[in-house]
């Protein structure tokens, strides 16, 4: 079963930047579209950025223009560059294979990683 390990989170002031990384245990980035999700306590996990196997990207409205998703297929890593961070971006961030058309995680992969905590606060 493919495992995902997210890292790069931390405490940052409003207006600051972070770059998140997600390493997949198997070489799947050439086969599956990927997404970054985030979850605020008490709320459902939401999809905020997607990237296809050939590099097409799409973003949720509230991160568009601030976040950039990218990937390095040779290293099995998906990145999320987050700029102009706001307190509302505070959440745990995850990556997972995603159905581009439905904007939903692919259930066949089953297990999510532990995520990485991002806290935006002054």
């Amino acid at each position: 079963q493919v495992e995902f390990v997210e890292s790069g989170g931390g405490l940052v002031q409003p207006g600051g930047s972070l770059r998140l990384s997600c390493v997949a245990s198997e070489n799947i980035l050439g086969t599956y579209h990927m997404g970054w999700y985030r979850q605020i306590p008490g709320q459902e996990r939401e999809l905020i950025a997607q990237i296809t196997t050939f590099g097409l990207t799409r973003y949720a409205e509230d991160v568009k223009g601030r976040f950039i998703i990218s990937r390095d297929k040779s290293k099995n890593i998906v990145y999320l560059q987050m700029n102009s961070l706001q307190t509302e971006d505070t959440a745990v961030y995850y990556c997972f294979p995603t159905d581009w058309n439905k904007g939903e995680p692919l259930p066949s992969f089953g297990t999510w990683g532990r995520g990485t905590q991002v806290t935006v606060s002054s």
Side-chain angles (χ1 to χ4, degrees):
Q1 191 169 14
V2 182
E3 297 181 349
F4 304 96
V5 179
E6 299 90 353
S7 63
L11 174 63
V12 64
Q13 293 187 341
S17 297
L18 285 173
R19 189 176 82 153
L20 307 184
S21 299
C22 170
V23 181
S25 61
E26 296 181 18
N27 186 6
I28 64 169
L29 300 190
T31 306
Y32 296 96
H33 310 320
M34 295 294 294
W36 276 98
Y37 297 75
R38 67 184 180 189
Q39 187 168 25
I40 299 168
Q43 299 185 19
E44 292 188 358
R45 194 173 292 165
E46 63 170 339
L47 177 64
I48 58 169
Q50 298 172 259
I51 187 165
T52 67
T53 56
F54 42 90
L56 184 65
T57 60
R58 184 164 62 195
Y59 301 91
E61 282 300 318
D62 54 354
V63 306
K64 191 178 296 183
R66 299 189 298 123
F67 291 8
I68 301 171
I69 186 172
S70 62
R71 80 276 189 266
D72 185 332
K73 290 182 181 179
S74 66
K75 297 180 180 178
N76 303 326
I77 299 178
V78 184
Y79 300 102
L80 186 68
Q81 177 67 43
M82 305 189 297
N83 303 317
S84 302
L85 282 161
Q86 305 167 357
T87 55
E88 296 77 17
D89 297 318
T90 296
V92 180
Y93 286 72
Y94 306 84
C95 75
F96 204 77
T98 298
D99 184 316
W100 174 266
N101 293 322
K102 294 182 178 179
E104 296 175 354
L106 291 175
S108 59
F109 280 85
T111 304
W112 292 72
R114 297 179 63 180
T116 185
Q117 174 71 49
V118 172
T119 302
V120 184
S121 175
S122 56

